[in-house]
Amino acid sequence: ATTAPKAADLSIPDPLEVFESIDTNGDGVLSKEEFLAALDQLSLDELVSISKSLSRNELSRHTDEDEEVSLGALVGHRLVTMADVTISKIFPAGFGWQMFSVLADNAGHQADSLPFFLYTGAGDFCGVWTGHFAFSMVKKAFGVSISPLKEAQTGLLLATAAFCSGFVWQPTVNALQALNLSFNQCALGTVAACGTAFFIGLRGGRFAYGGLMEGVESASYANLKADVGLSLSIGGATGCFVGTDISFGDANWLRPVVGIEESFSTMLGQVKAGTSTSLGFVAFQTVQSFVVPRGKCWVD
């Protein structure tokens, strides 16, 4: 009889080889009996290894080598991914929101009306989807293996969530200002409201698209935790976006950096808007990159 390998020697083999070893009759279908027979042959160490991999949602690519990555390399990877997301989605989201707010204003819709909220939500949607897909195609042109269809589907998921946060941003700020709250209080309230709206949109998108689109992962406990982390950083982006509102006067300490003055051109206003969301996202995500444990951050 063969003995099970020691825990230190465990690795995850090729999935096809595993399937073929379990599929004893070679019919390409696993029966309950075949599965239970294979399960009986696993050692406790192997079961623990598989359980750990499943909990991290990385069964197909996790190895012991991942555990040995230095803290510097881990943080570096997180920051690179953060930059990728900022360029491809966060800046375009703010840019798109501001662009569509101008379109709404030109169409005669006031900033306290439902059509205005729909316009700006659509601006966030278009900015995120377009930015994500365009950036993916640029990477594909440089030799990165990318499926355009899958990226379009992933973009749809993120854009759906962005519509939700973009839709609630203006009514949230309106309500908080009506309560005579300070700039800081309004910004923090916006972080909470828009971060929550993004999370609801993200989870809803997973339930709606997950079973239909290969590029969208269905809702699970593993991606629930990841979605919370991403939504928190999106909340930071929307909170910093409050800095574009010059109606707070000198209390708006972000005004010198991202405030959209009446004298600004439409294009400059859109760039300022994209800059504000980028700064907020980077601030919140940088903290996550340094303090969230290994394997627990949404970019890992």
Side-chain angles (χ1 to χ4, degrees):
T2 58
T3 58
K6 296 180 180 179
D9 298 327
L10 288 176
S11 61
I12 297 174
D14 180 81
L16 184 58
E17 293 179 0
V18 174
F19 180 87
E20 291 176 346
S21 67
I22 299 175
D23 183 23
T24 55
N25 60 9
D27 63 355
V29 179
L30 293 183
S31 67
K32 181 178 180 180
E33 291 73 18
E34 287 174 327
F35 176 76
L36 291 175
L39 195 62
D40 286 340
Q41 298 177 26
L42 292 175
S43 69
L44 177 60
D45 288 335
E46 288 173 313
L47 288 173
V48 170
S49 177
I50 291 174
S51 175
K52 181 178 180 181
S53 296
L54 284 170
S55 69
R56 293 177 55 179
N57 199 33
E58 295 179 347
L59 179 58
S60 63
R61 62 183 183 275
H62 174 64
T63 65
D64 290 337
E65 183 179 350
D66 294 329
E67 299 292 341
E68 300 173 1
V69 175
S70 68
L71 178 60
L74 176 65
V75 172
H77 162 74
R78 290 176 171 182
L79 295 180
V80 168
T81 303
M82 177 186 72
D84 182 306
V85 174
T86 302
I87 295 170
S88 64
K89 289 170 273 291
I90 306 303
F91 182 90
F95 189 97
W97 193 102
Q98 183 64 24
M99 175 189 295
F100 275 62
S101 74
V102 173
L103 295 177
D105 184 63
N106 291 339
H109 301 302
Q110 300 299 312
D112 58 356
S113 66
L114 178 60
F116 186 92
F117 307 154
L118 290 171
Y119 264 81
T120 51
D124 251 11
F125 181 100
C126 293
V128 169
W129 189 91
T130 302
H132 174 81
F133 189 75
F135 195 71
S136 297
M137 292 305 98
V138 169
K139 291 194 290 186
K140 182 176 178 62
F142 280 89
V144 179
S145 178
I146 285 176
S147 166
L149 178 59
K150 288 183 180 180
E151 293 304 326
Q153 294 170 346
T154 300
L156 177 61
L157 171 66
L158 297 171
T160 298
F163 172 85
C164 296
S165 59
F167 176 86
V168 305
W169 188 90
Q170 189 65 61
T172 296
V173 173
N174 291 347
L176 294 174
Q177 287 182 317
L179 295 174
N180 294 318
L181 299 181
S182 67
F183 171 76
N184 288 339
Q185 290 171 325
C186 285
L188 289 175
T190 303
V191 169
C194 292
T196 300
F198 185 90
F199 176 76
I200 292 173
L202 196 57
R203 299 307 290 178
R206 290 196 186 281
F207 281 107
Y209 310 140
L212 304 174
M213 301 179 181
E214 189 178 358
V216 176
E217 187 178 76
S218 297
S220 68
Y221 179 65
N223 58 40
L224 170 67
K225 295 181 289 184
D227 289 351
V228 169
L230 172 57
S231 299
L232 177 60
S233 291
I234 294 299
T238 63
C240 193
F241 191 48
V242 179
T244 62
D245 189 345
I246 62 174
S247 67
F248 287 96
D250 293 337
N252 180 358
W253 47 273
L254 286 172
R255 181 175 181 175
V257 181
V258 297
I260 300 178
E261 306 293 341
E262 294 181 1
S263 60
F264 286 176
S265 66
T266 298
M267 178 58 69
L268 179 56
Q270 292 165 180
V271 171
K272 285 280 189 176
T275 300
S276 70
T277 53
S278 299
L279 289 175
F281 178 80
V282 167
F284 274 61
Q285 189 55 43
T286 297
V287 173
Q288 286 199 55
S289 295
F290 280 94
V291 304
V292 176
R294 186 191 308 272
K296 302 297 182 181
C297 188
W298 66 271
V299 299
D300 289 346

